[in-house]
Amino acid sequence: MNRTIAATILAGTLIATGACGNNDGDEETNNGVATSIQNMTPPTGRATNEETSTSGSADLGTLDQAKLASFVVAFRTGYSELAEDRDDESIEAIVLQSCDAIGAGTDEEQVTEEIRRLAAHHRNEPTQDQAEQIYDLITPACPS
């Protein structure tokens, strides 16, 4: 059930990301969305093959920038109370630190508990179910 919810949020995010992409008006709106989704272009206009190094473990490697941007959009969309007045870097830190923990072999339960701590904001803390959904959104963004 949690994976279904997370997949739904991610699908909505990908559509929203494409809709917010760089459409210069030369294409029809629907075509622009489809093109953005096919190319997985984040709202910043960076291509999917761009990657960013994580600030943690050297073993972890690099993180796909499009996946990171998609997570930020999904987090803002699905968890507005946790994203309110929060900058993108703060939300990206949830992914970076969680991916570091996953890469270090930390079990899912401990990572989920860390996600609850990292995602908490302005006296709002995610429920256990929300933390598990956020975990499901994070794992595809982590390098293999």
Side-chain angles (χ1 to χ4, degrees):
M1 175 76 174
N2 289 337
R3 293 189 191 274
T4 303
I5 294 169
T8 302
I9 291 171
L10 186 56
T13 300
L14 291 175
I15 291 169
T17 301
C20 295
N22 186 11
N23 187 353
D24 295 332
D26 294 339
E27 305 170 341
E28 291 181 27
T29 303
N30 291 338
N31 189 25
V33 172
T35 302
S36 293
I37 292 171
Q38 287 173 343
N39 295 333
M40 292 283 296
T41 303
T44 58
R46 291 182 287 232
T48 58
N49 61 351
E50 289 186 38
E51 297 177 339
T52 183
S53 294
T54 60
S55 58
S57 169
D59 302 356
L60 194 54
T62 57
L63 195 69
D64 186 298
Q65 193 63 34
K67 291 178 182 176
L68 188 58
S70 292
F71 174 81
V72 171
V73 173
F75 187 84
R76 288 193 183 284
T77 302
Y79 308 99
S80 59
E81 72 282 356
L82 300 172
E84 185 178 336
D85 299 327
R86 199 170 190 166
D87 62 11
D88 288 353
E89 291 78 25
S90 171
I91 296 171
E92 289 171 353
I94 299 168
V95 175
L96 298 174
Q97 291 181 30
S98 298
C99 286
D100 281 348
I102 291 167
T106 306
D107 72 14
E108 183 176 342
E109 185 177 322
Q110 289 176 312
V111 174
T112 302
E113 204 47 48
E114 181 68 5
I115 288 169
R116 287 187 78 182
R117 186 187 68 75
L118 292 168
H121 189 64
H122 289 303
R123 296 187 181 164
N124 291 315
E125 184 174 315
T127 65
Q128 184 63 32
D129 285 343
Q130 288 175 322
E132 290 169 5
Q133 292 166 7
I134 294 168
Y135 178 91
D136 290 340
L137 290 172
I138 289 172
T139 53
C142 295
S144 311

